[in-house]
Amino acid sequence: MSLLSIQNLVKRFGALTATDHVSLAVERGQIHALIGPNGAGKSTLVHLISGLLPADGGSLTLDGTELIHLAPHQRVAAGLARCFQITSIFPQLTVAENLLLAVQAQGRNSFRSFHVRDDDPALLQQAWALAQRVQLQGRWNDVAGTLPHGAQRKLDVALAIAAQPKLLLLDEPMAGMGPVESSEMVALIQQLRASSPDMAILLIEHDMDAVFQLADCITVLVYGKVLAQGSAAQIQADPRVQAVYLGQEDEGDASIPEAQEGAA
Ligand SMILES: Nc1ncnc2c1ncn2[C@@H]1O[C@H](COP(=O)(O)OP(=O)(O)OP(=O)(O)O)[C@@H](O)[C@H]1O
Ligand SMILES: [Mg+2]
């Protein structure tokens, strides 16, 4: 049984079918990338998985639990975590305080109402372990809002993985990053996989170098439909995928680059 199994998922916005009978599976421990041109329906699919948007049809199971009728916080309890692109960090609190809140909130719906407890050695140890996993030990006492963009993204990832999810949803984790920060994020995701081999990641990313370095499996969405699925090498060699991306050449960020040595 796949960890995440999506079958015939449908989402309509008026006359537009943004998710058109999408079926895909994410296996345990897999890094599965979702790519496709602008407007293909990638974010919509992530919102359907997280429960931010209700589906119009289809099924969605995580580790055997049907999610389709569950509220977002119930999906979190079922093992789903999502990075919210920095909006979930508390900018006025330190890195340590942010991580302590995330650790304290484990198993609960929200950590908005908590007071930071910095007197419990077990909580402190868990928060420190999270800081280590995203390489923010050196930023422990820094105020989160003053961190560089890349470090804030790392903190956001740390908050998402605090509850040890089975599946982590990452929607464009490299967006707005320069090459140095992007390669740090790639290294971070590789390290997450090494330290949590059972956690699967569904990664949406326009940075094709990052996708080809990280993904075990790639699904290409076009106009809400699955166009192709396979390894990085299979996707790069697929004439249908090339045709879609060649049509997008003017948009700069959507071209499929040459395969890197060893990327597949
Ligand atoms: N809330 C909404 N109401 C109406 N239409 C929407 C809504 N959200 C998305 N859409 C439309 O659904 C389609 C898919 O959008 P979506 O944001 O999922 O694409 P995407 O693949 O994430 O694109 P990008 O790469 O630009 O982030 C687009 O045509 C978009 O305009
Ligand atoms: Mg999007």
Side-chain angles (χ1 to χ4, degrees):
M1 188 182 61
S2 300
L3 176 66
L4 177 74
S5 173
I6 299 177
Q7 270 159 14
N8 277 319
L9 202 60
V10 175
K11 178 68 192 177
R12 295 189 188 91
F13 296 114
L16 174 80
T17 306
T19 308
D20 195 352
H21 298 86
V22 167
S23 297
L24 68 88
V26 179
E27 309 303 331
R28 279 173 187 70
Q30 187 180 60
I31 299 184
H32 193 121
L34 200 56
I35 66 170
N38 295 111
K42 304 178 297 294
S43 295
T44 301
L45 186 57
V46 166
H47 296 331
L48 293 175
I49 297 170
S50 69
L52 211 67
L53 282 174
D56 293 315
S59 124
L60 190 64
T61 59
L62 183 69
D63 213 4
T65 303
E66 178 59 68
L67 301 182
I68 206 89
H69 298 298
L70 298 185
H73 72 268
Q74 292 172 310
R75 298 184 192 202
V76 171
L80 198 67
R82 168 160 187 250
C83 276
F84 288 93
Q85 307 202 335
I86 306 185
T87 51
S88 57
I89 72 171
F90 292 91
Q92 71 282 19
L93 299 184
T94 65
V95 168
E97 289 165 338
N98 270 277
L99 295 175
L100 279 164
L101 279 176
V103 167
Q104 283 172 242
Q106 271 183 54
R108 298 175 207 244
N109 297 347
S110 156
F111 47 82
R112 296 267 154 202
S113 58
F114 282 82
H115 292 293
V116 183
R117 287 187 52 194
D118 56 3
D119 54 351
D120 182 329
L123 291 179
L124 272 170
Q125 200 182 7
Q126 287 177 55
W128 181 251
L130 278 175
Q132 285 179 314
R133 290 190 62 192
V134 298
Q135 288 122 38
L136 284 179
Q137 308 98 300
R139 301 286 195 173
W140 184 247
N141 288 313
D142 289 6
V143 173
T146 67
L147 295 176
H149 181 72
Q152 292 196 20
R153 281 276 163 93
K154 288 180 177 178
L155 181 57
D156 194 41
V157 170
L159 299 180
I161 61 172
Q164 296 172 315
K166 295 171 185 168
L167 176 66
L168 176 64
L169 303 175
L170 293 175
D171 194 352
E172 299 196 35
M174 284 87 174
M177 288 185 172
V180 174
E181 285 184 330
S182 288
S183 62
E184 277 182 26
M185 186 54 85
V186 168
L188 176 70
I189 293 171
Q190 281 165 336
Q191 250 160 331
L192 285 183
R193 105 142 352 150
S195 58
S196 307
D198 289 337
M199 182 176 75
I201 297 176
L202 184 62
L203 170 73
I204 295 182
E205 188 48 64
H206 280 292
D207 180 338
M208 293 299 171
D209 285 333
V211 166
F212 291 137
Q213 280 180 65
L214 289 168
D216 304 305
C217 184
I218 300 173
T219 295
V220 185
L221 275 188
V222 178
Y223 294 122
K225 287 192 168 82
V226 175
L227 176 77
Q229 193 173 83
S231 67
Q234 287 166 332
I235 292 300
Q236 282 166 319
D238 190 321
R240 295 168 304 167
V241 178
Q242 287 169 357
V244 165
Y245 277 87
L246 286 174
Q248 294 262 317
E249 257 177 349
D250 293 344
E251 294 193 23
D253 65 351
S255 62
I256 292 228
E258 290 295 306
Q260 292 190 327
E261 286 295 317

